[in-house]
Amino acid sequence: MAQKPLRLLACGDVEGKFDVLFNRVRAIQKKSGNFDLLLCVGNFFGSTPDAEWEEYKTGTKKAPIQTYVLGANNQEAVKYFQDADGCELAENITYLGRKGVFTGTSGLQIVYLSGTESLNEPVPGYSFSPKDVSSLRTMLCSTPQFKGVDILLTSPWPKYVGNFGNSSGEVDTKKCGSALVSSLATGLKPRYHFAALEKTYYERLPYRNHIVLQENAQHATRFIALANVGNPEKKKYLYAFSIVPMKLMDAAELVKQPPDVTENPYRKCGKEASVGKQIPAPEEESACQFFFDLNERQGRKRSSTGRDSKSPHPKQPRKPPQPLGPCWFCLASPEVEKHLVVNIGTHCYLALAKGGLSDDHVLILPIGHYQSVVELSAEVVEEVEKYKVTLRKFFKSRGKRCILFERNYKSHHLQLQIAQPGAAYFYVELDTGEKLFHRIKKNFPLQFGREVLASEAILNIPDKSDWRQCQISKEEEETLARRFRKDFEPFDFTLDD
């Protein structure tokens, strides 16, 4: 029997507007049914008089749901949180404490860190230090069975959370936020991470917690920043979602990747930064060239419809994720050379390769940001196959043959058909229907496919084995692209729609 999901609410800065918050919660519960918990991040108390709080503290008024809050973020609020280990502030309102882990009877695991970052000693009563973050990580991550936590609650945003993701609006995540929180999120791998303090709503695209092709698949993380309660701009401050505790989930279901998942924003070259140090902006290796290639390094052009519904409220319009570093093939990137694009379908497009082996050396690229074929929707797979069939017909009509190959090793290229997630391999598909598959273990030449095709045994153009030695002027590229578009037009299935 499937485990019944818990129904939770998360809230941003309350700032003393208790009536506004709890009236809103009552209205939601009346319409959608009762929720199990309310989790508050950011400033729970404000600079307003305490008259409203006194009504809850004395029991005149009562929170309509079991509410858990983080501690002070400034000196003025320290007086409300006398017990560093947490305590009941009023009926149904509990202060979690400075830092720790809350585990519910259902097995749901919530890690909390109160306050703002401080690198100075002694640490103020409203701040956390590198030692606090290190102790949390050590306590949780040292067990061999550790996979991650269900929820992480912090008041500050993690620094760099916007890398590789959708736009964070006016908040510059390279300057704002806490590097310590970034380090904590990297280590704890929360399924949900909530934060506040910036007075805006930002739901980042989910990001992965494993290195593709080097580590086994792990669950994704969703970061959600919430606005302040009752803000005049009507920015979202309350977020409703359902969750089954990680420990009760089927392993395969837990690691299933959302279709819009991105790279981990805190990782640089596959290595995480040390606790207490500035986390540098992540870098990405340059894109590689392939003959008749499938390369996925480009931002999402269309929003995904495959995500689970978690909130009764309209979601923030989804913007295309940032390119994974400079990328020739990303339609959303300023670096992309759009004059090389020769055909655009609904889910994929064709482009001439830069420094191609031949004048009609083309690439098939999915428009959406996918890491592997196991993450592709059926319609994307179908269009990839359409392009393959069409291109075979096109080349055959011109007395030519084509080879498709894919190297899934030290790159972020689309996996094809038979490899399991995380497996490195080299795949070849001939126009005769033969398919060759080689499982890569280590020390595989990155340009193997191109070098074999350029060799004397096949195309006999060994001087073109390095694509960088084959580059031509932009004018010549534009001429080749125009010629290919014209020649390919009779075979263009996208014109049938």
Side-chain angles (χ1 to χ4, degrees), residues 89-127:
L89 301 178
E91 186 175 0
N92 271 1
I93 302 176
T94 302
Y95 164 46
L96 286 166
R98 290 284 296 275
K99 68 178 188 297
V101 183
F102 172 85
T103 303
T105 55
S106 63
L108 185 75
Q109 195 171 48
I110 302 173
V111 176
Y112 54 89
L113 180 66
S114 293
T116 55
E117 177 181 310
S118 175
L119 302 179
N120 302 318
E121 294 287 348
V123 179
Y126 53 87
S127 296

XYZ file of all heavy atoms in Angstrom, residues 89-127:
291
model
N 6.771 28.606 21.801
C 6.581 30.048 21.962
C 5.139 30.376 22.319
O 4.864 31.339 23.037
C 6.974 30.780 20.665
C 8.414 30.580 20.177
C 8.624 31.316 18.862
C 9.414 31.058 21.220
N 4.223 29.610 21.794
C 2.791 29.766 22.069
C 2.128 28.457 21.662
O 2.778 27.584 21.063
C 2.211 30.940 21.288
N 0.868 28.322 21.965
C 0.195 27.086 21.598
C 0.224 26.905 20.077
O -0.136 27.798 19.313
C -1.265 27.102 22.090
C -1.972 25.780 21.875
C -3.369 25.737 22.474
O -3.793 26.744 23.069
O -4.032 24.692 22.328
N 0.718 25.754 19.631
C 0.846 25.406 18.209
C 1.957 26.160 17.487
O 2.068 26.071 16.266
C -0.470 25.617 17.447
C -1.357 24.388 17.478
O -1.007 23.380 18.082
N -2.506 24.459 16.841
N 2.784 26.901 18.216
C 3.903 27.624 17.588
C 5.180 27.247 18.322
O 5.350 27.540 19.512
C 3.706 29.156 17.627
C 2.400 29.543 16.926
C 4.891 29.858 16.956
C 2.080 31.029 16.990
N 6.110 26.598 17.619
C 7.333 26.079 18.221
C 8.565 26.632 17.528
O 8.650 26.638 16.291
C 7.361 24.538 18.137
O 6.209 24.013 18.806
C 8.611 23.975 18.791
N 9.515 27.101 18.352
C 10.824 27.521 17.851
C 11.707 26.281 17.758
O 11.901 25.564 18.733
C 11.412 28.562 18.800
C 12.891 28.815 18.653
C 13.483 29.001 17.395
C 13.719 28.893 19.780
C 14.838 29.237 17.266
C 15.076 29.140 19.666
C 15.635 29.300 18.407
O 16.985 29.535 18.283
N 12.238 26.008 16.574
C 13.013 24.789 16.351
C 14.350 24.793 17.087
O 14.790 23.759 17.582
C 13.258 24.600 14.846
C 12.048 24.146 14.033
C 12.303 24.321 12.543
C 11.694 22.694 14.344
N 15.017 25.956 17.147
C 16.324 26.043 17.780
C 17.350 26.648 16.843
O 17.058 26.995 15.694
N 18.590 26.786 17.337
C 19.646 27.407 16.539
C 20.017 26.544 15.335
O 20.187 27.046 14.224
C 20.899 27.629 17.409
C 20.765 28.692 18.466
C 20.836 30.088 17.868
N 22.122 30.371 17.264
C 23.179 30.826 17.932
N 23.088 31.020 19.239
N 24.311 31.084 17.309
N 20.160 25.260 15.570
C 20.487 24.338 14.469
C 20.164 22.931 14.926
O 20.188 22.616 16.123
C 21.958 24.439 14.078
C 22.924 23.917 15.132
C 24.360 24.000 14.655
C 25.326 23.305 15.605
N 25.379 23.924 16.945
N 19.844 22.061 13.977
C 19.563 20.688 14.352
C 18.720 19.954 13.335
O 18.537 20.402 12.198
N 18.175 18.817 13.758
C 17.362 17.968 12.897
C 16.052 17.662 13.612
O 16.049 17.256 14.772
C 18.075 16.641 12.574
C 17.237 15.803 11.612
C 19.452 16.898 11.990
N 14.962 17.881 12.922
C 13.643 17.535 13.444
C 13.121 16.353 12.633
O 13.018 16.423 11.418
C 12.690 18.730 13.301
C 11.255 18.412 13.629
C 10.801 18.445 14.935
C 10.352 18.077 12.627
C 9.481 18.155 15.241
C 9.027 17.781 12.918
C 8.592 17.819 14.231
N 12.831 15.258 13.330
C 12.306 14.070 12.657
C 10.903 13.795 13.171
O 10.704 13.598 14.375
C 13.199 12.844 12.900
O 14.528 13.144 12.465
C 12.680 11.639 12.126
N 9.930 13.811 12.285
C 8.548 13.576 12.664
C 8.251 12.103 12.844
O 9.063 11.232 12.484
N 7.104 11.815 13.383
C 6.708 10.419 13.593
C 6.577 9.674 12.269
O 6.697 8.450 12.219
C 5.363 10.362 14.333
O 4.391 11.117 13.599
C 5.492 10.945 15.734
N 6.356 10.408 11.195
C 6.231 9.796 9.867
C 7.583 9.417 9.275
O 7.661 8.708 8.276
C 5.541 10.769 8.916
O 6.347 11.934 8.750
N 8.669 9.923 9.910
C 10.006 9.708 9.360
C 10.509 10.890 8.562
O 11.648 10.883 8.085
N 9.676 11.926 8.387
C 10.107 13.124 7.663
C 11.260 13.787 8.400
O 11.179 14.033 9.601
C 8.939 14.109 7.542
C 9.202 15.353 6.696
C 9.183 14.999 5.213
C 8.160 16.434 6.984
N 12.339 14.082 7.678
C 13.536 14.668 8.292
C 13.719 16.111 7.818
O 13.879 16.371 6.630
C 14.767 13.833 7.948
C 15.976 14.133 8.807
C 17.095 13.149 8.580
O 17.460 12.850 7.448
N 17.675 12.628 9.652
N 13.687 17.034 8.786
C 13.827 18.460 8.496
C 15.071 18.979 9.197
O 15.194 18.873 10.421
C 12.597 19.254 8.986
C 11.315 18.725 8.342
C 12.764 20.742 8.699
C 10.046 19.344 8.914
N 16.010 19.513 8.435
C 17.208 20.138 9.002
C 16.993 21.641 9.020
O 16.495 22.221 8.048
C 18.459 19.785 8.178
C 19.675 20.526 8.712
C 18.706 18.280 8.208
N 17.348 22.283 10.140
C 17.125 23.723 10.279
C 18.397 24.416 10.742
O 19.209 23.863 11.489
C 15.972 24.005 11.251
C 16.127 23.360 12.606
C 16.800 24.008 13.654
C 15.619 22.088 12.845
C 16.942 23.405 14.892
C 15.758 21.473 14.087
C 16.421 22.140 15.104
O 16.574 21.540 16.325
N 18.574 25.630 10.251
C 19.705 26.478 10.630
C 19.177 27.898 10.774
O 18.799 28.534 9.789
C 20.801 26.409 9.571
C 22.051 27.256 9.836
C 22.804 26.735 11.067
C 22.976 27.266 8.616
N 19.140 28.398 12.006
C 18.601 29.735 12.262
C 19.674 30.804 12.104
O 20.869 30.553 12.279
C 18.027 29.810 13.680
O 16.897 28.989 13.824
N 19.229 32.038 11.783
C 20.118 33.185 11.759
C 20.756 33.460 10.412
O 20.433 32.843 9.395
N 21.698 34.405 10.432
C 22.431 34.814 9.235
C 23.900 34.443 9.394
O 24.383 34.183 10.493
C 22.301 36.328 9.007
O 22.735 37.024 10.195
C 20.855 36.717 8.726
N 24.611 34.438 8.292
C 26.016 34.015 8.314
C 26.907 35.015 9.035
O 26.776 36.225 8.889
C 26.508 33.836 6.874
C 27.969 33.460 6.765
C 28.441 33.300 5.334
O 27.773 32.577 4.570
O 29.475 33.903 4.977
N 27.848 34.499 9.828
C 28.870 35.329 10.467
C 30.189 34.579 10.444
O 30.258 33.402 10.821
C 28.492 35.660 11.911
O 29.551 36.374 12.548
N 31.231 35.254 9.999
C 32.568 34.669 9.976
C 33.435 35.205 11.112
O 34.625 34.910 11.190
C 33.241 34.935 8.633
C 32.496 34.418 7.392
C 33.249 34.769 6.118
C 32.267 32.915 7.465
N 32.827 36.005 11.989
C 33.552 36.631 13.089
C 33.310 35.890 14.396
O 32.271 35.279 14.603
C 33.132 38.096 13.239
C 33.372 38.906 11.975
O 34.404 38.767 11.339
N 32.432 39.756 11.625
N 34.284 35.965 15.284
C 34.160 35.405 16.629
C 34.220 36.548 17.637
O 35.019 37.469 17.490
C 35.295 34.411 16.908
C 35.263 33.162 16.043
C 34.149 32.199 16.434
O 33.550 32.392 17.520
O 33.870 31.280 15.649
N 33.408 36.531 18.693
C 32.365 35.534 18.944
C 31.177 35.739 17.995
O 30.918 36.854 17.540
C 31.973 35.796 20.399
C 32.246 37.255 20.595
C 33.465 37.541 19.763
N 30.472 34.661 17.745
C 29.334 34.712 16.836
C 28.133 35.332 17.558
O 27.799 34.917 18.675
C 28.968 33.293 16.347
C 27.764 33.336 15.423
C 30.151 32.662 15.638
N 27.473 36.337 16.958
C 26.293 36.934 17.593
C 25.182 35.907 17.802
O 25.143 34.873 17.132
C 25.861 38.006 16.580
C 27.057 38.266 15.747
C 27.810 36.973 15.682
N 24.269 36.206 18.696
C 23.190 35.294 19.010
C 22.189 35.100 17.901
O 21.315 34.236 17.996
N 22.300 35.899 16.858
C 21.380 35.795 15.725
C 22.089 35.284 14.462
O 21.587 35.453 13.350
C 20.734 37.152 15.429
C 21.734 38.285 15.232
C 22.284 38.546 13.982
C 22.130 39.070 16.301
C 23.205 39.561 13.797
C 23.043 40.103 16.127
C 23.584 40.341 14.881
O 24.498 41.341 14.711
N 23.251 34.657 14.631
C 24.031 34.222 13.470
C 24.506 32.789 13.633
O 24.469 32.215 14.713
C 25.248 35.137 13.261
O 24.846 36.455 12.962
